[in-house]
Amino acid sequence: MRYVEGALKGHQLSGARLIRLLEDGDPEGIAGLKALYPHAGRAFILGITGPPGAGKSTLVDRIIGEFRGRGLKVGVVAIDPSSPFSGGAILGDRVRMQRHATDPGVFVRSMATRGHLGGLSRATGEAAFVLDAMGYDVIVIETVGVGQDEIEVVDLAHTTAVVCLPGMGDDIQAMKAGILEIGDLFIINKADRPGADEVAKQLAVMLDMRHIPHGEWMPPVLKTVAVKDQGITEVVDAALAHRDQLAASGKLAERVNLRERHFFRTLVREMAAEKVFGAVEGTAAFAALLEDLRDRKTDPYSAAEGLVGRLSFQA
Amino acid sequence: MCMDRRDETLRLEAERWQVGVDKSVGKHPERKASFESLSDLPIGRLYTPRDLPGFDYVEDLGFPGQYPFTRGVQNTMYRGRLWTMRQFSGFGSAEDTNQRYKYLLDNGQTGLSVAFHFPTLKGVNSDHPLSRGEVGKCGVAIDSLRDMEVLFDGIPLDKVTTSMTVNHPAPVLLAMYLAVAKKQGASWDKVGGTVQNDPLKEFFAQKSYVWPPRESVRLLVDTMEFCAKHVPKWHPVSISGYHIREAGSTAQQELAFTLADGIAYVEAAVARGLDVDSFAPHLSFFFDAHLDFFEEIAKFRAARRLWARIMKERFGAKDPKSLWLRFHTQTAGVSLTAQQPLNNIVRTAVEAMAAVLGGTQSLHTNSFDEAEALPTEEAVTVALRTQQILAEETGVANTVDPLAGSYFVEALTNEMEKAAREYIRKIDDLGGMVAAVEAGYPQSEIIRASMEFQRAVEDGRKVIVGVNKYVKKDAKPLHLLKIDDSVERAQVARIAEVKKNRDNAAVEAALGRVRDAARGQENLMYPIVEAVGEYALLGEVCGALVDVFGAYQDPAIF
Amino acid sequence: MKKVRVLIAKPGLDGHDRGAKVVAKFLQECGYEVVYTGLHQSPEQIVNAALQEAVDVVGISVLSGSHEYVFPEVMRLLKEKEMEDVLVFGGGTIPEDDIPALLATGVKALFRPGTPLADIQTFMKEHVG
């Protein structure tokens, strides 16, 4: 099968093309993914999330350097938003990762959200998969930092780091409750600016409210100045410590399992929907149903029940 | 009482005129629904005294050479001395450029202006991997003092002033220039000229940065301190708006961001403990002269007045020379077209005239072939003659600030100042220009203005003759100047030769002292002068500074 | 959903990125996904980025006169990496006389100063849709 052999050998071109096929929804990509599946599951997946302007890309750049210094190969999926108007995107995260531009042990893939209704696109997880199977030891997922993707990256990653800024003040409160509850480590970047200590205090308060039982992982609050290479070692140490603790407690396997099941369920949902709509789209009956919906002769629930009720499934 | 009656008459006459206008426009609409300047300032049909309420000659204009200097910084301006005709020039090897300089001086150019190639602008040598294909192409290749000696061979540095367009590495090039002067026997207190040395605009306009913002400003203040002490006729900085405009900003942004950069430098020098009157008289500026004739003139006049007010009110400068905004102008490169290139001669002439009517101290006129390449000798001669014709044949230099009192020009000047103040206020709110640069503010303003301009051209709302109107396929392409790869080979060889003939131990020691000074508070010019004297290469000195300062990475703000 | 991916690159030491950024933004407005490399790219970095990002098209902006070195070198590296199906176009201050030699190396189009953005859009539609 095209690209699979190459990807398994770690050939960047093969992996890149396979990721592209998957991103485009090409069935050849899915066939490739199936072949790669048994070979994935080795890599450590680190999610980096946080609001725009927090300096995530620069931080990721330095984190890559730190991992490389420890002899680990790093893959990166850097996500940027697609324009809701044009559907296009400017993917500029790569600019901040220049120093690794010709390092064969680093693979950076920029990805647009492609109108994915909030959250991470399927392609993000698929790309992480391919990079895993290619042999990258660490895969960093850098999210856009607005909307559901912050929460969803937690599903995808083993360890999620939340990046904040000094002076965020009230914004900390406004940050989605979910991410504050689920983040495994908190990084205050640009910590040389005034207000870093205040943010650290607020985070400590929030973490306190999580009532983490003794013996379980206590998310550290770390300070970095990524542009000056300060605090990076501590971040990587903390991420790896988290991973190690998960592995030792069996929680890592549990998380990975949960993640795969979640992904599987999502796939079933999407495929089932595709099957249903594929069957009825364009038919006169379906058009009539949509008209009834518009004229309020039926409601969305009844309409959906009607369609799905016609599905039969042999378990 | 008399005034009231005159005002009333004016008002009635205006109304009467308006009635007539409404009738005319009703029958025969104007060419466009609305008229804007190149920078989208709304332009009215007519300007009258009613557009200048409260206008006060002494407050708003003053006399030339007197606060607020709207009409000019010298009291006789061009009647006393014409502007310096200073054509920016440089290409190939130091030998090639030395020849061009001698040609220009023989043909009436009155000051030199050095264009360096990209490796020099970025502080790397001609043999650096990224220099491939770039050596000598956009300016002269200077890798060491050796090249500088050749560049100014036969040119007396105590008689000719030189402007060197280089920014972050400027202290090194200045040190080389001073070393050549010394070898010629010219004493430093007679040496005059400018280094552009304007670090902040590199981050959002020209992008020839090397080290990060705060470190680059430190180096600038070191240069200012050094020159004030040792090279008193030298302008250690040319605070530039040209590149900001060329990067796509509007005229108002050009004015505002330039002065905001200036404010940041003055603040940094004052923070260092320097008395404002000790360095402010040596500051100079550099603006673009674009095609919208009156907008540009208004910009220059507003610049002088606004800077004078800032220096007086904000910094408490006492010496009148501290309030002077002296500037060099270059006609807008970005207005030149590759299509029908001879049209560019007209564009340059109009832009040059705006600069002269705006009171520039020195001027560079572009050559007609510069949309595509560096100028040929023929083209640069026409550019120089343009200035000479303006000076000698048109009469525009015969009186000071001839457009003063024009209702239109004064209204536009006020508009420019107002718009610039607004931007400066925003920048102050962000914490000053360094903080604004770090936050990406000027960068995002410029990309936005660039996109809007491009859209306006594509829509035909802004006309470019020969490009989106009056298009005609060119008869035959111009003969252009070509720089071949022999320069690269020659420079690489020369670098090897310099390394062989110098005392490498002394160079290493000197570079060590540069690093030490960079880590501490010592003025960096002294160890740089020393290193350069030992024939340390430009790339080596800049490399030593990068070792301590770090290298700046552009975050590509859209 | 299939989208066309484009790499916009600035090679060498030249910092004049107004053109590259305007084209990048325009292509985004046309619905393309544009990976922007930023400044100071070597030909290896450009090709490496094109490889990892699996782009369909590479656009290179040169205003420093180094086009005679950069374009052939990028084409050579693309061939070496077996990426000859990637489309390459360029823009900047490239004299008319130099264009035929560059096109002969496989560059599909060179857009000189004053080219309307609409021309670039037409080129993209014709070649990649």
Side-chain angles (χ1 to χ4, degrees):
Chain A
M1 202 176 319
R2 220 162 43 130
Y3 303 136
V4 171
E5 211 183 296
L8 286 172
K9 289 210 189 91
H11 291 165
Q12 290 198 346
L13 182 60
S14 300
R17 299 241 154 138
L18 192 51
I19 292 172
R20 181 70 197 272
L21 287 172
L22 285 160
E23 192 183 29
D24 290 342
D26 190 306
E28 210 189 325
I30 300 195
L33 201 59
K34 288 181 185 170
L36 288 181
Y37 193 80
H39 304 273
R42 236 184 25 96
F44 169 46
I45 304 181
L46 174 62
I48 310 275
T49 188
K56 293 191 292 291
S57 295
T58 308
L59 195 56
V60 171
D61 175 72
R62 302 306 193 264
I63 288 172
I64 296 171
E66 182 67 31
F67 277 121
R68 291 299 289 138
R70 301 184 194 205
L72 299 170
K73 285 167 54 174
V74 186
V76 181
V77 183
I79 305 163
D80 269 321
S82 297
S83 159
F85 306 112
S86 72
I90 297 217
L91 308 174
D93 292 333
R94 198 181 182 93
V95 173
R96 276 158 261 230
M97 301 178 202
Q98 292 298 346
R99 51 182 77 186
H100 311 289
T102 43
D103 179 351
V106 178
F107 188 118
V108 176
R109 181 41 151 94
S110 312
M111 223 168 230
T113 51
R114 287 197 184 175
H116 195 86
L117 278 155
L120 294 180
S121 62
R122 203 161 91 194
T124 308
E126 290 168 348
F129 223 87
V130 174
L131 290 168
D132 188 340
M134 282 170 78
Y136 288 91
D137 302 300
V138 181
I139 297 165
V140 180
I141 316 274
E142 185 198 327
T143 70
V144 174
V146 284
Q148 281 297 106
D149 67 353
E150 292 175 299
I151 316 287
E152 296 210 1
V153 74
V154 168
D155 262 343
L156 180 52
H158 302 139
T159 302
T160 301
V162 181
V163 187
C164 309
L165 278 177
M168 270 183 80
D170 298 324
D171 297 339
I172 296 276
Q173 323 270 356
M175 268 171 80
K176 277 153 220 77
I179 198 60
L180 285 172
E181 281 166 31
I182 305 167
D184 301 308
L185 58 116
F186 292 84
I187 303 172
I188 302 169
N189 194 26
K190 306 188 186 181
D192 51 354
R193 295 198 185 166
D197 289 328
E198 281 70 32
V199 172
K201 279 199 205 109
Q202 281 179 310
L203 286 170
V205 168
M206 301 260 142
L207 286 169
D208 214 38
M209 299 202 298
R210 269 164 72 164
H211 297 303
I212 294 163
H214 190 69
E216 278 195 24
W217 174 259
M218 182 60 191
V221 177
L222 302 167
K223 293 204 190 110
T224 59
V225 184
V227 288
K228 295 203 175 128
D229 298 291
Q230 289 168 7
I232 309 300
T233 312
E234 291 78 355
V235 167
V236 170
D237 284 343
L240 291 172
H242 178 249
R243 191 238 1 224
D244 291 343
Q245 194 182 64
L246 281 181
S249 65
K251 284 225 168 75
L252 181 63
E254 198 185 296
R255 270 204 190 186
V256 171
N257 189 29
L258 251 151
R259 188 187 106 205
E260 310 251 305
R261 268 203 283 164
H262 174 86
F263 186 53
F264 158 68
R265 291 184 113 92
T266 309
L267 277 176
V268 170
R269 266 200 295 276
E270 284 183 18
M271 289 178 181
E274 273 163 38
K275 213 174 175 106
V276 170
F277 286 116
V280 300
E281 204 90 61
T283 63
F286 188 61
L289 180 66
L290 291 178
E291 264 179 41
D292 283 349
L293 203 56
R294 182 198 61 197
D295 298 337
R296 297 200 113 89
K297 289 202 191 126
T298 182
D299 65 84
Y301 287 94
S302 309
E305 279 163 11
L307 269 186
V308 173
R310 281 151 51 196
L311 269 180
S312 88
F313 181 73
Q314 292 293 98
Chain B
M1 197 88 106
C2 220
M3 276 303 280
D4 286 336
R5 198 169 62 75
R6 280 217 292 255
D7 283 346
E8 187 54 23
T9 311
L10 185 56
R11 192 182 64 78
L12 288 170
E13 284 298 289
E15 279 173 11
R16 199 160 69 83
W17 175 73
Q18 190 60 46
V19 169
V21 163
D22 290 339
K23 242 197 255 162
S24 306
V25 173
K27 263 192 285 188
H28 194 79
E30 287 184 321
R31 290 181 289 114
K32 291 194 279 191
S34 66
F35 290 76
E36 288 83 30
S37 71
L38 192 61
S39 301
D40 289 328
L41 282 178
I43 303 294
R45 179 176 296 114
L46 182 76
Y47 289 77
T48 68
R50 301 172 85 217
D51 292 292
L52 299 173
F55 180 79
D56 179 316
Y57 180 85
V58 171
E59 279 279 315
D60 298 335
L61 296 191
F63 283 82
Q66 289 175 198
Y67 183 81
F69 305 100
T70 321
R71 304 198 68 178
V73 293
Q74 286 108 2
N75 48 23
T76 57
M77 287 301 291
Y78 305 133
R79 281 171 68 119
R81 202 168 66 120
L82 287 170
W83 64 90
T84 306
M85 300 185 189
R86 198 186 285 282
Q87 295 294 88
F88 186 47
S89 172
F91 56 89
S93 67
E95 282 88 353
D96 294 328
T97 304
N98 176 263
Q99 260 176 33
R100 177 59 73 87
Y101 285 167
K102 286 174 169 151
Y103 173 82
L104 290 168
L105 289 170
D106 284 342
N107 271 276
Q109 177 161 319
T110 41
L112 291 176
S113 176
V114 186
F116 298 102
H117 73 166
F118 269 111
T120 301
L121 298 178
K122 291 284 295 175
V124 303
N125 299 328
S126 299
D127 60 358
H128 187 278
L130 277 176
S131 300
R132 282 295 311 275
E134 308 243 7
V135 178
K137 294 275 170 80
C138 280
V140 64
I142 301 289
D143 293 310
S144 73
L145 175 56
R146 181 87 198 85
D147 291 314
M148 205 58 136
E149 288 163 351
V150 173
L151 185 63
F152 291 103
D153 178 59
I155 297 173
L157 297 187
D158 53 359
K159 305 240 170 27
V160 175
T161 58
T162 304
S163 169
M164 295 195 282
T165 297
V166 58
N167 290 278
H168 288 204
V172 184
L173 280 309
L174 176 60
M176 289 182 189
Y177 188 87
L178 292 175
V180 173
K182 197 174 230 173
K183 285 183 199 244
Q184 282 184 358
S187 90
W188 286 2
D189 58 12
K190 295 222 172 54
V191 167
T194 310
V195 272
Q196 195 169 87
N197 203 19
D198 167 9
L200 285 178
K201 61 119 170 32
E202 296 306 314
F203 300 106
F204 60 91
Q206 186 162 231
K207 312 253 171 127
S208 312
Y209 46 74
V210 184
W211 23 79
R214 292 171 200 270
E215 287 79 355
S216 67
V217 174
R218 175 258 171 106
L219 203 41
L220 165 63
V221 181
D222 283 356
T223 325
M224 285 163 72
E225 228 180 357
F226 183 88
C227 289
K229 249 193 222 134
H230 304 286
V231 202
K233 291 170 90 192
W234 195 267
H235 298 290
V237 66
S238 178
I239 307 166
S240 306
Y242 179 81
H243 319 80
I244 297 171
R245 192 65 185 278
E246 296 287 299
S249 83
T250 61
Q252 306 88 300
Q253 289 165 343
E254 179 195 344
L255 176 57
F257 295 166
T258 307
L259 295 196
D261 284 344
I263 291 170
Y265 300 150
V266 173
E267 281 175 349
V270 166
R272 176 78 70 93
L274 299 176
D275 175 60
V276 71
D277 288 315
S278 74
F279 64 84
H282 304 294
L283 302 175
S284 64
F285 291 79
F286 172 29
F287 289 110
D288 201 305
H290 213 307
L291 267 171
D292 193 308
F293 188 68
F294 294 107
E295 180 172 71
E296 294 300 290
I297 294 167
K299 178 185 79 186
F300 300 130
R301 299 171 87 248
R304 272 195 296 273
R305 183 167 72 198
L306 184 50
W307 184 250
R309 287 176 169 165
I310 289 169
M311 287 307 287
K312 183 159 190 224
E313 294 161 14
R314 189 165 172 156
F315 293 106
K318 304 261 180 337
D319 184 346
K321 290 212 176 80
S322 296
L323 312 178
W324 286 10
L325 181 138
R326 268 176 293 202
F327 66 102
H328 170 75
T329 308
Q330 176 163 339
T331 58
V334 89
S335 69
L336 303 177
T337 61
Q339 295 79 355
Q340 301 174 32
L342 293 182
N343 295 342
N344 293 326
I345 298 174
V346 180
R347 295 190 174 101
T348 300
V350 170
E351 290 161 353
M353 192 155 76
V356 167
L357 290 172
T360 192
Q361 274 58 52
S362 68
L363 179 62
H364 163 100
T365 33
N366 291 332
S367 301
F368 63 81
D369 52 1
E370 284 198 82
E372 300 218 60
L374 297 188
T376 58
E377 207 170 79
E378 182 205 33
V380 82
T381 308
V382 173
L384 188 53
R385 297 286 178 255
T386 302
Q387 294 198 45
Q388 290 158 341
I389 290 168
L390 270 178
E392 313 276 3
E393 298 183 16
T394 66
V396 296
N398 293 348
T399 188
V400 179
D401 189 33
L403 292 178
S406 149
Y407 307 117
F408 178 39
V409 170
E410 297 302 352
L412 261 189
T413 304
N414 291 345
E415 197 54 51
M416 274 285 160
E417 183 180 345
K418 186 160 145 242
R421 277 187 186 274
E422 189 48 41
Y423 277 114
I424 292 173
R425 197 190 54 79
K426 276 203 195 106
I427 290 165
D428 281 338
D429 286 346
L430 282 169
M433 200 46 159
V434 176
V437 165
E438 288 172 343
Y441 172 66
Q443 294 90 323
S444 53
E445 287 294 295
I446 286 171
I447 186 70
R448 192 148 51 108
S450 304
M451 287 307 292
E452 269 164 30
F453 182 82
Q454 191 62 30
R455 278 188 208 109
V457 170
E458 305 265 328
D459 290 347
R461 275 177 290 130
K462 287 200 157 66
V463 174
I464 303 181
V465 170
V467 172
N468 66 357
K469 199 170 179 185
Y470 309 117
V471 175
K472 184 171 125 121
K473 183 84 173 69
D474 287 314
K476 66 172 179 351
L478 286 177
H479 164 71
L480 297 169
L481 184 73
K482 276 215 78 136
I483 315 287
D484 66 32
D485 293 330
S486 64
V487 181
E488 190 167 330
R489 285 193 292 277
Q491 281 308 110
V492 173
R494 180 170 279 168
I495 287 173
E497 196 196 313
V498 166
K499 279 188 170 160
K500 209 163 54 120
N501 293 334
R502 67 187 187 181
D503 178 351
N504 284 294
V507 171
E508 270 318 302
L511 292 174
R513 279 190 283 280
V514 169
R515 284 189 204 96
D516 289 338
R519 274 186 276 263
Q521 315 268 44
E522 193 197 320
N523 188 309
L524 275 161
M525 277 303 290
Y526 298 99
I528 289 174
V529 165
E530 197 206 320
V532 154
E534 296 290 344
Y535 292 89
L537 301 173
L538 174 72
E540 290 171 331
V541 180
C542 292
L545 289 169
V546 170
D547 287 343
V548 178
F549 290 157
Y552 179 76
Q553 272 251 309
D554 178 57
I557 294 164
F558 270 87
Chain C
M1 196 195 313
K2 189 178 192 309
K3 290 244 176 247
V4 173
R5 287 168 64 88
V6 186
L7 186 80
I8 296 290
K10 277 292 299 176
L13 297 165
D14 167 27
H16 297 95
D17 57 1
R18 176 180 179 175
K21 281 186 163 181
V22 166
V23 169
K25 204 138 181 25
F26 172 70
L27 290 176
Q28 180 251 58
E29 287 168 7
C30 292
Y32 300 108
E33 286 177 359
V34 182
V35 179
Y36 179 62
T37 63
L39 299 170
H40 314 133
Q41 301 295 294
S42 66
E44 297 86 87
Q45 286 172 313
I46 294 173
V47 171
N48 206 47
L51 188 156
Q52 290 181 358
E53 300 288 352
V55 297
D56 304 295
V57 186
V58 173
I60 301 175
S61 163
V62 184
L63 289 99
S64 62
S66 57
H67 50 275
E68 285 172 312
Y69 162 67
V70 172
F71 285 102
E73 184 59 10
V74 167
M75 297 309 295
R76 187 186 72 77
L77 288 169
L78 284 172
K79 185 165 182 192
E80 194 181 272
K81 301 266 176 182
E82 291 171 46
M83 291 168 65
E84 281 166 289
D85 51 349
V86 174
L87 204 72
V88 177
F89 75 91
T93 45
I94 301 170
E96 198 84 74
D97 283 351
D98 295 348
I99 291 184
L102 296 179
L103 294 176
T105 65
V107 176
K108 266 291 178 309
L110 286 162
F111 299 109
R112 291 181 359 97
T115 303
L117 291 171
D119 283 6
I120 300 181
Q121 185 175 25
T122 307
F123 167 80
M124 291 289 289
K125 280 213 199 112
E126 260 166 44
H127 286 93
V128 286

